[in-house]
Each structure stands twice: as C-alpha cells, then as structure tokens.
C-alpha cells in the first residue's frame, strides 16, 4: 500500500504564491513518477504537472512558466511551487502515483481570490 498526504493549500490573492507538498509512504520505489492533479466541482480531474523517476517534468500549458514541480527522493516528498496564481487555479489539488494501481491523496484546497 502507498499513502499520499498533501499539504500547503490555502487562500491566496491573485498573483500570490503557494507551495504544495506531497509526502509519500509505503511500498513503492522512492523515485516513482509522481503527478499533481486538480479538480473543480462539476469538472473532470485535470493533470497539472508530473515528474518522472529521471527528473523529467511535464506541465499542462495553462501553468507552464508559473508552476514548478520538484522532488526530494530522500524524503519521499514531491513539491508543487505555484507562482502568479490566478482565480482559475482555484481547485482541490491531488497528489497521484501509479505503482501497480493508482494511488491518490485526499487533496488540499487552493483558493485564489481576485
């Protein structure tokens, strides 16, 4: 089993920054590919960013240049630095990984006020 626990969400004004963290524990490689998704009520969950075992990163176009994903394999933690946040970034952000099956955290709410 793998457990993912997100933290770092909150309320921020437009143009502000937040840093999300996802602490992973359980039986899986420490360098497993990790992703951040987000979901707004009534909409599908959207892939925001991901980081592979080799450190390659990918981003949805709407966050490129504003969000940065990184990882600390020694601490089994993945981060999402979010800068210049906009009201459209308001969502619940989920940490995800796949190791034989999909694992999800419970999510952390990010609210960006205009």
């Amino acid at each position: 089993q793998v457990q993912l626990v997100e933290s770092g969400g909150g309320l921020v004004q437009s143009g502000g920054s937040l840093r999300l963290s996802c602490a992973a524990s359980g039986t899986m490689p420490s360098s497993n590919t990790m992703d951040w998704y987000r979901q707004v009520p009534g909409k599908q969950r959207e892939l925001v960013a991901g980081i592979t075992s080799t450190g390659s990163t990918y981003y949805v176009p709407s966050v490129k240049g504003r969000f940065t994903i990184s990882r600390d394999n020694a601490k089994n933690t993945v981060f999402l630095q979010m800068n210049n946040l906009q009201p459209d970034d308001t969502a619940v952000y989920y940490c995800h990984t796949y190791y034989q099956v999909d694992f999800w955290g419970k999510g952390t709410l990010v609210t960006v006020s205009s």
Side-chain angles (χ1 to χ4, degrees), residues 6 14 16 22 27-28 42 45 47 52 60-61 64 74 80 93 101 108:
E6 304 97 335
S14 180
C22 172
T27 307
M28 77 166 186
R45 197 167 291 190
L47 174 63
T52 70
V60 67
K64 273 185 179 179
L80 186 66
Y93 284 70
V101 296
T108 185

Short mmCIF file of all heavy atoms in Angstrom, two decimals, residues 6 14 16 22 27-28 42 45 47 52 60-61 64 74 80 93 101 108:
data_model
loop_
_atom_site.label_atom_id
_atom_site.label_comp_id
_atom_site.label_asym_id
_atom_site.label_seq_id
_atom_site.Cartn_x
_atom_site.Cartn_y
_atom_site.Cartn_z
N GLU A 6 -1.14 15.27 1.13
CA GLU A 6 -0.85 16.61 0.61
C GLU A 6 -0.96 17.65 1.73
O GLU A 6 -1.72 17.46 2.69
CB GLU A 6 -1.85 17.01 -0.49
CG GLU A 6 -1.91 16.05 -1.66
CD GLU A 6 -3.05 15.07 -1.56
OE1 GLU A 6 -3.49 14.79 -0.42
OE2 GLU A 6 -3.50 14.56 -2.61
N SER A 14 -4.87 36.85 -5.92
CA SER A 14 -4.39 36.74 -7.29
C SER A 14 -2.98 37.32 -7.38
O SER A 14 -2.70 38.39 -6.85
CB SER A 14 -5.33 37.49 -8.23
OG SER A 14 -4.90 37.40 -9.55
N GLY A 16 -0.41 35.80 -6.07
CA GLY A 16 0.34 35.24 -4.95
C GLY A 16 0.92 33.87 -5.25
O GLY A 16 0.80 33.35 -6.37
N CYS A 22 3.66 16.86 -1.06
CA CYS A 22 3.02 15.53 -1.04
C CYS A 22 4.03 14.56 -0.44
O CYS A 22 5.05 14.27 -1.06
CB CYS A 22 2.62 15.10 -2.44
SG CYS A 22 2.05 13.38 -2.53
N THR A 27 5.03 0.98 0.26
CA THR A 27 5.89 0.11 -0.54
C THR A 27 5.85 0.53 -2.00
O THR A 27 4.95 0.15 -2.75
CB THR A 27 5.44 -1.34 -0.41
OG1 THR A 27 5.35 -1.69 0.97
CG2 THR A 27 6.42 -2.26 -1.12
N MET A 28 6.80 1.33 -2.41
CA MET A 28 6.97 1.69 -3.81
C MET A 28 8.35 2.31 -3.96
O MET A 28 8.92 2.79 -2.99
CB MET A 28 5.89 2.67 -4.26
CG MET A 28 6.09 4.10 -3.83
SD MET A 28 5.01 5.24 -4.73
CE MET A 28 5.65 6.79 -4.12
N GLY A 42 -17.80 19.69 -10.39
CA GLY A 42 -18.53 19.61 -11.64
C GLY A 42 -17.66 19.43 -12.86
O GLY A 42 -18.18 19.30 -13.98
N ARG A 45 -11.19 15.76 -13.25
CA ARG A 45 -9.88 15.97 -12.65
C ARG A 45 -8.87 16.19 -13.78
O ARG A 45 -8.86 15.47 -14.77
CB ARG A 45 -9.50 14.76 -11.80
CG ARG A 45 -8.38 14.98 -10.82
CD ARG A 45 -8.30 13.86 -9.82
NE ARG A 45 -9.43 13.87 -8.90
CZ ARG A 45 -9.49 13.10 -7.81
NH1 ARG A 45 -8.50 12.27 -7.52
NH2 ARG A 45 -10.55 13.15 -7.03
N LEU A 47 -4.82 16.80 -15.08
CA LEU A 47 -3.39 16.67 -14.79
C LEU A 47 -2.75 18.05 -14.88
O LEU A 47 -2.90 18.74 -15.88
CB LEU A 47 -2.74 15.72 -15.79
CG LEU A 47 -1.22 15.58 -15.70
CD1 LEU A 47 -0.79 15.00 -14.36
CD2 LEU A 47 -0.71 14.72 -16.85
N THR A 52 9.10 12.52 -13.44
CA THR A 52 9.42 11.11 -13.61
C THR A 52 10.57 10.69 -12.70
O THR A 52 11.16 11.51 -11.99
CB THR A 52 9.80 10.81 -15.06
OG1 THR A 52 11.08 11.43 -15.32
CG2 THR A 52 8.77 11.36 -16.03
N VAL A 60 0.74 21.03 -17.73
CA VAL A 60 -0.35 21.44 -18.59
C VAL A 60 -0.03 22.86 -19.07
O VAL A 60 0.57 23.65 -18.33
CB VAL A 60 -1.69 21.39 -17.82
CG1 VAL A 60 -1.74 22.43 -16.72
CG2 VAL A 60 -2.86 21.54 -18.75
N PRO A 61 -0.35 23.21 -20.33
CA PRO A 61 0.05 24.52 -20.85
C PRO A 61 -0.37 25.71 -19.99
O PRO A 61 0.36 26.70 -19.91
CB PRO A 61 -0.63 24.56 -22.23
CG PRO A 61 -0.68 23.12 -22.65
CD PRO A 61 -0.95 22.36 -21.39
N LYS A 64 2.40 26.36 -17.31
CA LYS A 64 3.81 26.45 -17.70
C LYS A 64 4.34 27.84 -17.44
O LYS A 64 3.68 28.85 -17.76
CB LYS A 64 3.98 26.10 -19.18
CG LYS A 64 4.15 24.63 -19.44
CD LYS A 64 4.44 24.37 -20.92
CE LYS A 64 4.64 22.91 -21.19
NZ LYS A 64 4.89 22.63 -22.61
N ALA A 74 15.00 11.48 -1.11
CA ALA A 74 15.43 11.04 0.23
C ALA A 74 14.31 11.17 1.24
O ALA A 74 14.23 10.41 2.21
CB ALA A 74 16.65 11.83 0.67
N LEU A 80 5.01 21.21 -5.33
CA LEU A 80 4.50 21.99 -6.45
C LEU A 80 4.54 23.46 -6.03
O LEU A 80 3.73 23.90 -5.21
CB LEU A 80 3.07 21.58 -6.82
CG LEU A 80 2.52 22.25 -8.08
CD1 LEU A 80 3.30 21.79 -9.33
CD2 LEU A 80 1.03 21.95 -8.27
N TYR A 93 -6.31 20.21 -5.09
CA TYR A 93 -5.13 19.64 -5.73
C TYR A 93 -4.82 18.28 -5.10
O TYR A 93 -4.76 18.16 -3.87
CB TYR A 93 -3.94 20.58 -5.57
CG TYR A 93 -4.02 21.77 -6.50
CD1 TYR A 93 -4.96 22.78 -6.31
CD2 TYR A 93 -3.19 21.87 -7.62
CE1 TYR A 93 -5.08 23.85 -7.17
CE2 TYR A 93 -3.27 22.94 -8.49
CZ TYR A 93 -4.22 23.92 -8.26
OH TYR A 93 -4.32 24.99 -9.13
N VAL A 101 -1.22 -0.10 -9.13
CA VAL A 101 -2.55 0.51 -9.19
C VAL A 101 -2.38 2.01 -8.96
O VAL A 101 -1.31 2.47 -8.60
CB VAL A 101 -3.51 -0.06 -8.13
CG1 VAL A 101 -3.76 -1.55 -8.39
CG2 VAL A 101 -2.98 0.17 -6.73
N THR A 108 -5.78 18.85 -1.27
CA THR A 108 -5.63 20.08 -0.49
C THR A 108 -6.25 21.20 -1.30
O THR A 108 -6.03 21.30 -2.51
CB THR A 108 -4.16 20.35 -0.14
OG1 THR A 108 -4.07 21.49 0.71
CG2 THR A 108 -3.29 20.57 -1.37
#
